[in-house]
Amino acid sequence: MNKLISMEKKGELLQVKNILDHGFVELVDVLGSDQAIVNAARTSYDKGTKKVSSTKQLIRYLMRHQHSGPLEFGELVFRIRCPLFVARQWFRHRTGSYNEVSLRYSEATDEYYVPKSEWITTQDRRNRQARTGTVLNDSELIRDEFNSDANDLLKKYNNYLERGVAREIARINLPLSLYTTFCYKSDLRNLLNFLTLRTDSHAQFEIREYAEAMVEMAEKFFPITIQAWRDYMKNSLHFSFPELNVLKKILSEANIDINEKVSEYFDKNKTPSLAELEKIEFKDKIRTLMGDSISLDYLKKKND
């Protein structure tokens, strides 16, 4: 059920993946490509780049240095069906465009989310907003109660409608487990920020399932950009200034000439994962870490 499916619909490529028990992600429309991003970055050269290798190098440079403006020249439109509590987390990202089914105009369906028993786990005491991997002993019983509670609330909702209660009032007691549907449009820059946060292990499991499906779909149309995102955002680490000072102190006390070690490593290993410019930038980072003066302010140098 969770296999990514591609199909033709009204002349447009549509990708669909089922999520959780009643949810899905559909990729409805796409604007742009890796090449379009590069062409936007190179506005002074209207033919863009001619080689795939050049396109790859420039996109990776843009991502590496957080020159994210050209990423806005790629856009994706999704149709999402998810539990209400997932949608409310989603809508906190205010950099996309949304349009959601309204229960003032339509009636609620009887689809609601019931987690698998192995997903019903204990509260994480260190992270107040997360759960652990420890399954509760009575998780099967709790799952049955979740199902019964939601079913009862939906029965009451339908009873309110039968008694003539307006839809906008009848809906107010519906559970957060109820499924909703909405359209979501985002440029690639903001989508990648969303995916960075929502594929992280700290994000709630249910929304991670949707985000990971969207990564797969986006990669079909922006393969170079998504790989660069993985390398420079998703799987990278950020060190604070105090943390860098600790690292510098450890290296200094160990009497390790880290600059020399890095140069020796690059001499012995071609390191295909790092382009030549990246090797230079990496060396500059190490030199900066160890307190060496690195300046690209050439105008100031001339004035001095």
Side-chain angles (χ1 to χ4, degrees), residues 258-299:
I258 189 65
N259 291 313
E260 182 179 344
K261 291 291 185 182
V262 169
S263 296
E264 288 177 358
Y265 179 85
F266 285 146
D267 288 341
K268 293 178 181 179
N269 302 276
K270 298 301 181 181
T271 320
S273 60
L274 289 181
E276 289 303 313
L277 180 57
E278 287 183 86
K279 292 180 182 179
I280 295 172
E281 292 172 350
F282 181 74
K283 289 180 179 179
D284 283 348
K285 288 178 183 178
I286 297 300
R287 291 168 61 195
T288 302
L289 168 65
M290 300 311 296
D292 295 342
S293 179
I294 303 294
S295 176
L296 298 178
D297 194 347
Y298 302 115
L299 294 179

Side-chain angles (χ1 to χ4, degrees), residues 81 101-111 154 157-162 165-168 170-171 174 178-180:
R81 185 158 180 78
V101 168
S102 172
L103 294 184
R104 294 185 68 196
Y105 303 122
S106 58
E107 295 182 8
T109 67
D110 61 355
E111 291 183 340
L154 275 164
Y157 166 80
N158 288 318
N159 179 257
Y160 294 149
L161 294 180
E162 290 172 1
V165 178
R167 287 187 293 268
E168 66 178 22
R171 65 180 176 166
L174 285 170
L178 189 74
Y179 272 85
T180 185

Side-chain angles (χ1 to χ4, degrees), residues 169-286:
I169 297 298
R171 65 180 176 166
I172 63 177
N173 279 352
L174 285 170
L176 283 174
S177 59
L178 189 74
Y179 272 85
T180 185
T181 304
F182 62 91
C183 290
Y184 170 61
K185 179 176 76 70
S186 177
D187 63 60
L188 196 56
R189 175 187 185 180
N190 288 300
L191 178 64
L192 292 180
N193 288 333
F194 169 85
L195 295 176
T196 299
L197 292 170
R198 295 304 180 176
T199 60
D200 187 89
S201 60
H202 294 89
Q204 185 165 346
F205 165 77
E206 284 80 5
I207 198 169
R208 286 205 316 267
E209 290 290 284
Y210 287 88
E212 288 166 3
M214 294 165 72
V215 171
E216 291 182 55
M217 294 179 176
E219 190 169 20
K220 300 290 183 181
F221 295 90
F222 302 91
I224 297 174
T225 302
I226 294 299
Q227 186 57 54
W229 166 76
R230 286 196 180 100
D231 289 343
Y232 302 118
M233 293 179 67
K234 167 69 175 169
N235 298 321
S236 66
L237 291 175
H238 171 79
F239 288 92
S240 67
F241 184 68
E243 289 170 336
L244 289 173
N245 281 335
V246 171
L247 185 58
K248 175 184 176 181
K249 186 174 182 180
I250 291 172
L251 291 171
S252 298
E253 290 179 353
N255 199 26
I256 297 174
D257 189 339
I258 189 65
N259 291 313
E260 182 179 344
K261 291 291 185 182
V262 169
S263 296
E264 288 177 358
Y265 179 85
F266 285 146
D267 288 341
K268 293 178 181 179
N269 302 276
K270 298 301 181 181
T271 320
S273 60
L274 289 181
E276 289 303 313
L277 180 57
E278 287 183 86
K279 292 180 182 179
I280 295 172
E281 292 172 350
F282 181 74
K283 289 180 179 179
D284 283 348
K285 288 178 183 178
I286 297 300

